[in-house]
Amino acid sequence: MQRQVALIKQSLFDQGYLDEQFIELEELQDDANPNFVEEVATLYFKDSARLISNIEQALERGSFDFNRLDNYMHQFKGSSTSIGASKVKTECTMFREYCRVGNAEGWQDRRGPRRLHVGPSNTGTDQ
Amino acid sequence: MAEVLRPEMLDISNDTSSLASPELLHVLAVDDSIVDRKFIERLLRVSSCKVTVVDSATRALQYLGLDGDNSSVGFQDLKINLIMTDYSMPGMTGYELLKKIKESSAFREIPVVIMSSENILPRIDRCLEEGAEDFLLKPVKLADVKRLRDSLMKAEERVFKNIMHKRELEANDIYSQLKRAKI
């Protein structure tokens, strides 16, 4: 059983779902705190569910508030980075790029033609 | 028969509450992300620090007693050795929190470290110019925290040793005076 878990975990690394940050988390676990990784992962899933739900709601509206979407994505990217969820992090980065160019179509089908959609695309807060 | 008073028995100052214990640093961590709060708290505990975590700059100011009614007073008895704050937070940013802390007479000496997931040079410069001790890129590494802790402990140790040395001198001084007075 443990071997199976180990194999699954290794494949997550091999396929790029997890990166070395996850190992950093594992190294913070010890006998006194044996559930640390599980606790962080649980918090991550709960928080991600909240963010995804917010994003879905924001996307359901007729016009897209790119600032708000970018904000949610920034949060999602942040927590994904902290836990080592590499692929999620990459997707978030890409999504934010689409927000930056105000592209409402891009996120739906990345392989499709990119059309510039005129909309609020102010994401910069630093000069 | 007069008892010879030795420096160790003199009760010059029993107030040790203001002495920083060199062993346990107290860190205030500020981050709006629940995952990052859990993470930084663990990093700090593993590094043998006492940790207080809050979820916003406003709460950090409340904790320090720098909000509203107590705006310029602060809690003098509160011993914080280091403040680590996320940069991007809703409401008040880490940068604004940094400024408020540096404006406060009670807490301006406390080192403030900014954490950010974004490597933006003008942002880093601005924070350092405002007096930030350091700027850490997220995800924060255990090595970063240990390095901070070590340099802070060296500084605290120096302060501690200076205070003890000073007290020793004071005690010896009084002892000599009493000896001369032949008490």
Side-chain angles (χ1 to χ4, degrees), chain A residues 21 28 33 39 82 126, chain B residues 36 38-39 42 123 126:
Chain A
Q21 177 61 19
L28 291 175
N33 296 269
E39 285 163 13
S82 294
D126 298 284
Chain B
D36 286 348
K38 178 91 179 164
F39 181 45
R42 184 73 192 133
R123 175 185 288 186
R126 213 184 315 137

Side-chain angles (χ1 to χ4, degrees), chain B residues 59-95:
Chain B
R59 280 221 220 279
L61 291 176
Q62 279 169 8
Y63 183 77
L64 295 170
L66 291 179
D67 61 323
D69 309 321
N70 303 325
S71 54
S72 58
V73 174
F75 294 141
Q76 303 289 350
D77 296 333
L78 192 62
K79 186 61 187 171
I80 301 275
N81 302 98
L82 169 68
I83 297 171
M84 295 184 76
T85 177
D86 187 24
Y87 183 94
S88 313
M89 294 188 291
M92 193 184 296
T93 67
Y95 175 68

Side-chain angles (χ1 to χ4, degrees), chain A residues 66-105:
Chain A
F66 291 110
N67 263 345
R68 185 179 285 225
L69 282 171
D70 183 63
N71 200 344
Y72 291 140
M73 271 302 157
H74 172 77
Q75 291 179 52
F76 197 13
K77 184 184 166 194
S79 54
S80 302
T81 306
S82 294
I83 203 176
S86 184
K87 276 201 179 178
V88 181
K89 184 173 79 172
T90 305
E91 294 294 316
C92 290
T93 306
M94 234 178 291
F95 192 104
R96 292 184 77 195
E97 254 322 293
Y98 298 135
C99 287
R100 207 186 304 275
V101 301
N103 187 342
E105 316 292 333

Side-chain angles (χ1 to χ4, degrees), chain A residues 19-90:
Chain A
D19 60 29
E20 59 279 352
Q21 177 61 19
F22 191 78
I23 299 176
E24 294 272 338
L25 286 182
E26 289 185 310
E27 284 175 0
L28 291 175
Q29 194 161 275
D30 58 22
D31 292 335
N33 296 269
N35 301 314
F36 173 68
V37 180
E38 189 192 323
E39 285 163 13
V40 181
T42 306
L43 284 173
Y44 173 68
F45 289 135
K46 261 171 73 172
D47 200 47
S48 302
R50 173 186 70 88
L51 286 167
I52 289 171
S53 163
N54 288 340
I55 291 164
E56 278 175 342
Q57 279 175 36
L59 290 171
E60 266 159 29
R61 299 195 194 110
S63 64
F64 299 117
D65 183 344
F66 291 110
N67 263 345
R68 185 179 285 225
L69 282 171
D70 183 63
N71 200 344
Y72 291 140
M73 271 302 157
H74 172 77
Q75 291 179 52
F76 197 13
K77 184 184 166 194
S79 54
S80 302
T81 306
S82 294
I83 203 176
S86 184
K87 276 201 179 178
V88 181
K89 184 173 79 172
T90 305

